[in-house]
Amino acid sequence: MTAQIIETNSTPLKRVDVDGVTVDIIENALRNAREEMDAVLFRTAMSPGIREQGDCFPLIADRHGKMVVGQMGSFITGFTNAYSGTLEEGDIILTNDPYMCNAAISHLNDWLVLVPVFKDGRHIAWSAMFGHMSDNGGMVPGSMPIQASTIFQEGVRIPPVKLYKKGVLQEEVLELILHNVRTPQWNRFDLNALVAACKTAAKRCNELAVRFGDDVFDSTLDIMLERNKKAMGEIIKMFIPEEPREFADYICDDGKGMGPYKINCKMWREGEKVIFDFDGTDPQAQSSINFYLNEEMFKMFFGSFTINVVDPQIIFNDGFYDLVDVRIPEGTLLKPKYPAALSGRTHALGRIFDILGALLGMGAPQELLNAAGFSDSPHLFYSGYDDKGEWFQLFQIGFGGIPGRPVGDGPDGHSLWPGFTNVPNEFIESYFPMRIENYEVIPDSGGAGLHRGGHGLSVAYRFLCDGQIAIHDDRWLVHPWGVNGGEPGMRSTKRMVRADGTEEWLPSKCEDLKVKAGDLLYFNTWGGGGWGDPYLRDPAMVLTDFNRGLVTVEGAKAYGVIIENGAVNEAATTDLRATLTATRGEVSMFSHGGTIEEIKARCLEETHIPAPVTPTFQNVK
């Protein structure tokens, strides 16, 4: 199956020479158009997840579906290869079902809008954008049920459907979809905002084609892709070895008491092509932590990560995809078979970035190797009826510690996705029956190192109305690992203090947890792993962190630093560092905080939560 583009103008586009100045003008105009897509969306969406947090991913692609500018490519090829219908000028496609678009998006909450861009009867480009809807129907508010065993429990499945036909809104289709969600007004406004953003990009593409000519515009897109391919080709030859490297990391648990789950990847180069093979990854889970990883999307992850680490000046697009071969065995955690549940795929998605960082950095640990910390995207859901009897529903993404890096400390309290921002506390308190009583970094949570890991956040939510909450998080069992002598980061924790004073430690994945007015939730995220020998960190920097409230007197000892009366005791520090260096043994490239067996044996004592049991897997045929 493949989508059929209907053009009323059959004149083919021609490849022409384009001077460098014109290429730069068009390239930067497209970058601005991509930023304008975000601006339009944020000003017209309604849900806090999109409007305030920015949980959306835009792109502009050439007529073949290759992203030329954007944040997360790979939507269009997966869609066009799966869609068997026709596309005409004025058509706008909506879908959210990963199984019907080759995982162009990876769970049902992500509503994807695709717009084929036409000019004078010819198809010249694509614009596309998806946004995370605060609700998609299904078993639980927020539509990310931990206990789901199939995708049917996760809400309304929208196959690729024409939301607009030749410019006309298909109102009955839209109303049918909105009838199945708990927040129809939010979804309607958010969807309209996605459409408006894509139309804005389509308009900008047409304006550029009018200004410079269709052939120049089309040829420039090819040149932009070729530039990327050439640059990435050099990076691959420089940093990817022919001899395979292998690395594994783990999802802590599945929310049903089983875990951890292994994600394994081997990387090597054959000629100019890099191969990633996920053989050895655990079979698909019985819960919703499966991540249906589209091969094209993984290529995007690889390109985005590599470009940002090696040379952020390279324009990020899909030009290099022919240089990457991705192999993911079917029936595994990363390629589950229909109808496996997918809504909790965020944990595996985050681990992919940590694994990529390990694989790319192992060959040049002093120059390229990051610690772990791109580990997760913690979610909090709170819903119920307020004092006026009106339904409320909060979906919020939390932030953790970014890993220590060769170039410096990891940022504190930052999102997995660089473009995400936190929902302002004032916004939450204005629109939801809750009060934020504490919002601060957690001292000593970043792994000690020459460059320390970023610190996690502690947010205290006071619930002002009875309701229910759900929590999605990870890195509570396996640590964000340190590298080159750096220590692991602190793990995440969740603690509830009830209005009557009783306390309980909560698992990192729970749902339908009843709360009463006055209950207080301490939502603590993980810290990033440390980079490099902590005993080589300048004691003055440790003292600065102490004065900023980021490191305690006891925490300073992890750097071999003694702080007394607000100052560094130089003699005691020298003695302590000598002792610690002599007794620690050989420094390994990775510090995981112990083997899986050792970590599980200490689990209850260290986390207040029983260790998960070894997963069992259903036969998948």
Side-chain angles (χ1 to χ4, degrees):
M1 298 189 299
T2 185
Q4 182 182 1
I5 306 293
I6 306 299
E7 298 178 294
T8 58
N9 181 349
S10 60
T11 306
L13 291 163
K14 296 179 294 184
R15 178 66 186 259
V16 297
D17 293 332
V18 185
D19 63 90
V21 173
T22 300
V23 172
D24 287 345
I25 291 172
I26 293 175
E27 176 183 306
N28 283 285
L30 289 171
R31 284 181 167 182
N32 288 339
R34 173 252 181 273
E35 297 293 338
E36 192 177 1
M37 294 175 75
D38 278 346
V40 168
L41 185 77
F42 299 156
R43 284 163 173 76
T44 52
M46 179 172 282
S47 71
I50 293 180
R51 170 182 156 180
E52 300 293 331
Q53 203 133 43
D55 191 353
C56 57
F57 297 88
L59 70 83
I60 299 171
D62 71 358
R63 58 195 170 96
H64 305 293
K66 290 187 176 182
M67 184 188 78
V68 289
V69 293
Q71 187 173 356
M72 182 187 278
S74 317
F75 307 161
I76 297 168
T77 302
F79 157 72
T80 55
N81 288 340
Y83 184 64
S84 59
T86 60
L87 294 169
E88 302 179 66
E89 186 167 1
D91 289 350
I92 297 178
I93 298 294
L94 170 66
T95 186
N96 77 337
D97 191 341
Y99 289 114
M100 299 195 71
C101 61
N102 293 325
I105 34 75
S106 53
H107 68 170
L108 295 179
N109 289 80
D110 291 335
W111 287 18
L112 172 61
V113 171
L114 304 107
V115 176
V117 181
F118 289 81
K119 177 179 176 293
D120 301 327
R122 288 193 295 190
H123 178 221
I124 64 167
W126 289 87
S127 65
M129 195 176 211
F130 76 73
H132 181 107
M133 296 294 165
S134 292
D135 195 87
N136 187 64
M139 295 170 63
V140 296
S143 312
M144 295 177 64
I146 295 165
Q147 299 298 321
S149 57
T150 74
I151 197 169
F152 299 110
Q153 298 165 301
E154 297 176 332
V156 59
R157 296 171 57 220
I158 309 169
V161 62
K162 291 185 180 181
L163 182 65
Y164 286 78
K165 286 184 179 180
K166 297 182 180 179
V168 179
L169 173 65
Q170 304 303 290
E171 295 185 14
E172 291 185 349
V173 172
L174 178 59
E175 294 306 319
L176 176 62
I177 294 169
L178 295 179
H179 187 72
N180 286 277
V181 303
R182 297 175 180 84
T183 57
Q185 187 179 34
W186 280 6
N187 289 51
R188 185 188 302 274
F189 275 75
D190 289 355
L191 180 57
N192 286 341
L194 290 168
V195 170
C198 291
K199 285 185 173 181
T200 298
K203 181 179 180 181
R204 299 295 177 252
C205 290
N206 265 277
E207 290 171 349
L208 288 169
V210 169
R211 178 180 176 185
F212 295 100
D214 296 359
D215 293 333
V216 170
F217 176 76
D218 185 66
S219 298
T220 298
L221 303 190
D222 286 342
I223 292 169
M224 291 170 62
L225 293 166
E226 290 166 1
R227 281 180 172 181
N228 173 273
K229 182 175 182 178
K230 183 177 180 180
M232 282 293 294
E234 294 300 317
I235 291 173
I236 288 170
K237 284 188 289 185
M238 290 172 60
F239 295 106
I240 308 299
E242 293 183 337
E243 184 171 342
R245 297 176 189 162
E246 191 167 6
F247 192 80
D249 207 343
Y250 296 84
I251 307 301
C252 295
D253 73 309
D254 60 4
K256 292 186 174 184
M258 292 190 290
Y261 288 80
K262 181 180 180 181
I263 299 177
N264 190 79
C265 187
K266 184 181 293 186
M267 178 190 75
W268 71 95
R269 179 172 56 85
E270 295 180 0
E272 65 175 7
K273 182 172 289 190
V274 57
I275 293 91
F276 292 92
D277 190 340
F278 286 91
D279 187 38
T281 296
D282 276 346
Q284 67 190 60
Q286 299 180 43
S287 75
S288 63
I289 62 167
N290 300 298
F291 176 31
Y292 188 0
L293 178 57
N294 174 281
E295 285 83 357
E296 301 293 288
M297 184 176 288
F298 179 81
K299 294 176 184 180
M300 178 276 298
F301 291 165
F302 166 65
S304 176
F305 190 96
T306 305
I307 286 171
N308 278 291
V309 169
V310 177
D311 186 358
Q313 296 304 311
I314 298 171
I315 187 169
F316 169 53
N317 61 38
D318 290 359
F320 70 93
Y321 280 16
D322 292 342
L323 302 178
V324 185
D325 181 10
V326 183
R327 304 169 185 176
I328 308 174
E330 289 193 14
T332 62
L333 194 74
L334 299 181
K335 187 172 278 191
K337 292 190 175 182
Y338 174 84
L342 305 173
S343 62
R345 90 304 187 227
T346 306
H347 317 298
L349 190 159
R351 278 313 179 282
I352 293 296
F353 284 95
D354 281 342
I355 291 170
L356 265 175
L359 289 171
L360 293 170
M362 288 165 69
Q366 299 301 315
E367 293 81 20
L368 291 178
L369 182 61
N370 290 332
F374 299 103
S375 298
D376 205 359
S377 186
H379 297 355
L380 172 66
F381 303 84
Y382 172 42
S383 59
Y385 291 93
D386 62 21
D387 292 337
K388 298 179 181 178
E390 297 179 356
W391 176 258
F392 65 87
Q393 185 171 320
L394 171 68
F395 156 69
Q396 184 180 14
I397 299 173
F399 296 167
I402 298 299
R405 303 159 293 166
V407 295
D409 297 343
D412 304 318
H414 204 284
S415 170
L416 164 69
W417 299 106
F420 280 15
T421 58
N422 67 300
V423 179
N425 293 340
E426 295 82 1
F427 179 94
I428 292 176
E429 293 178 342
S430 296
Y431 289 92
F432 299 95
M434 65 193 317
R435 186 169 62 242
I436 311 300
E437 298 198 350
N438 193 56
Y439 192 102
E440 62 184 6
V441 298
I442 305 170
D444 302 331
S445 58
L450 174 64
H451 302 148
R452 64 164 175 80
H455 290 79
L457 286 178
S458 178
V459 184
Y461 297 96
R462 178 77 69 180
F463 305 109
L464 304 181
C465 283
D466 295 356
Q468 60 182 352
I469 67 168
I471 296 171
H472 287 241
D473 200 6
D474 209 66
R475 283 298 191 199
W476 70 273
L477 176 69
V478 293
H479 292 267
W481 30 266
V483 297
N484 297 333
E487 293 296 319
M490 184 180 293
R491 295 175 289 196
S492 65
T493 61
K494 307 294 178 287
R495 180 168 61 95
M496 182 76 76
V497 179
R498 297 292 185 178
D500 62 7
T502 59
E503 297 187 15
E504 56 186 299
W505 292 90
L506 303 177
S508 72
K509 301 174 187 68
C510 58
E511 61 193 1
D512 198 25
L513 181 65
K514 306 303 180 184
V515 294
K516 295 288 187 180
D519 289 349
L520 183 65
L521 171 67
Y522 287 95
F523 194 103
N524 295 344
T525 59
W526 71 96
W531 187 98
D533 188 347
Y535 309 146
L536 297 179
R537 187 173 177 86
D538 187 344
M541 296 181 68
V542 179
L543 182 62
T544 297
D545 282 344
F546 168 77
N547 290 330
R548 294 169 60 198
L550 301 176
V551 172
T552 64
V553 169
E554 190 64 29
K557 294 178 183 177
Y559 300 88
V561 174
I562 300 298
I563 297 176
E564 295 176 344
N565 301 317
V568 175
N569 184 323
E570 300 286 354
T573 294
T574 299
D575 290 344
L576 178 59
R577 286 187 161 185
T579 300
L580 292 173
T581 300
T583 58
R584 69 178 168 184
E586 183 179 354
V587 174
S588 59
M589 186 180 298
F590 296 95
S591 176
H592 295 274
T595 65
I596 292 296
E597 291 75 19
E598 291 169 342
I599 291 171
K600 290 179 72 171
R602 305 191 308 261
C603 179
L604 182 60
E605 177 184 357
E606 294 180 349
T607 71
H608 308 278
I609 304 294
V613 300
T614 301
T616 58
F617 303 105
Q618 295 175 328
N619 291 327
V620 178
K621 297 181 180 180

